[in-house]
Amino acid sequence: MTKKQRALEIIERLKKEYPDAGCTLDYDQAWKLLVSVRLAAQCTDARVNVVVEGLYKKYPDVDALAEASVEEIEEIVRPCGLGHSKARDISACMKMLRDEYGGKIPEDFDAILKLPGVGRKSANLIMGDVFGKPAIVTDTHCIRLVNRMGLVDGIKEPKKVEMALWKLIPPEEGSDFCHRLVYHGREICTARTKPYCERCCLADVCKKLGVGSVAK
């Protein structure tokens, strides 16, 4: 089994296991996803979803949030951790959206990357979830799981993992595949406890269990 074959098999099995998997950050407008993904750094999505309710109640649109001071934003988002740096980035990002893009998120990957506080993971999430474009979101779940499964070999740097996966994952599958990895990483292939391999739908194709060999 080649890595490509293994990847395609994993994609199909995860589709059956998590047919409705999607982004676990709540949002109803694109700019809100941009805010939430910044807040999610070193914080759970569940906590972010609670905190942003208060943020959006006080600042309901891009213009309102752009007008808010960093200190005002920080007061609300502090429970997400790293409050000052996150508030600073959110403030600068909203100002940039207001002043340069008419309050809208640009549909170009490189333009999104230039927004304050936005890295490749966040930009890919926006491209996939907001614009429906090919995307691979290399969060901690993705990096941990694809290494365990044998799709990449001991690569931990997010961009390198992303580049390796682009060679294996069909473009139209990337975004949903990464969302399903999050679900699988939380429920089965966990980080803080021993993985529940006995309940895993991928057990017979996973490199962690020493099943089969992979041709590169």
Side-chain angles (χ1 to χ4, degrees):
M1 178 181 286
T2 65
K3 286 184 179 180
K4 181 80 170 181
Q5 290 169 331
R6 176 173 284 178
L8 295 176
E9 181 64 25
I10 289 171
I11 287 170
E12 291 307 310
R13 293 193 190 189
L14 291 180
K15 279 184 181 180
K16 294 177 181 178
E17 196 75 9
Y18 311 101
D20 301 318
C23 183
T24 51
L25 290 167
D26 296 336
Y27 68 98
D28 56 9
Q29 297 179 62
W31 68 271
K32 291 182 179 180
L33 179 58
L34 195 60
V35 171
S36 289
V37 74
R38 180 65 188 96
L39 292 176
Q42 299 183 42
C43 181
T44 65
D45 290 358
R47 175 169 290 185
V48 171
N49 289 338
V50 172
V51 169
V52 294
E53 289 182 9
L55 185 67
Y56 301 148
K57 184 176 182 180
K58 188 169 184 179
Y59 307 108
D61 52 42
V62 170
D63 287 347
L65 196 49
E67 288 297 322
S69 69
V70 171
E71 290 72 25
E72 288 172 323
I73 298 171
E74 182 180 358
E75 184 65 28
I76 297 174
V77 305
R78 186 176 290 116
C80 294
L82 304 174
H84 185 72
S85 63
K86 290 180 179 180
R88 182 192 61 219
D89 287 341
I90 289 169
S91 175
C93 191
M94 293 302 107
K95 284 180 169 64
M96 195 167 175
L97 291 185
R98 179 195 64 190
D99 298 341
E100 298 186 28
Y101 297 105
K104 306 292 185 181
I105 296 178
E107 201 167 333
D108 176 74
F109 184 82
D110 290 331
I112 295 174
L113 270 182
K114 291 178 182 178
L115 295 172
V118 176
R120 295 189 66 87
K121 181 183 77 172
S122 301
N124 270 295
L125 183 65
I126 296 292
M127 291 300 289
D129 280 47
V130 173
F131 300 121
K133 300 290 183 66
I136 290 179
V137 181
T138 50
D139 63 7
T140 55
H141 290 291
C142 174
I143 294 170
R144 182 177 75 257
L145 268 63
V146 297
N147 271 281
R148 285 179 176 175
M149 294 170 180
L151 298 185
V152 301
D153 301 313
I155 305 174
K156 300 299 174 65
E157 185 181 324
K159 183 177 180 180
K160 289 183 179 179
V161 172
E162 179 192 336
M163 295 302 110
L165 290 178
W166 278 119
K167 299 176 182 178
L168 302 175
I169 309 299
E172 68 277 8
E173 299 285 0
S175 182
D176 288 341
F177 171 67
C178 292
H179 285 320
R180 292 186 174 105
L181 289 180
V182 172
Y183 281 69
H184 196 63
R186 290 175 177 172
E187 296 180 19
I188 303 295
C189 200
T190 56
R192 296 186 179 181
T193 62
K194 183 180 178 181
Y196 300 102
C197 298
E198 70 281 359
R199 294 195 280 117
C200 182
C201 64
L202 307 173
D204 62 321
V205 294
C206 181
K207 183 181 178 182
K208 176 176 174 60
L209 298 182
V211 181
S213 59
V214 178
K216 295 185 178 181

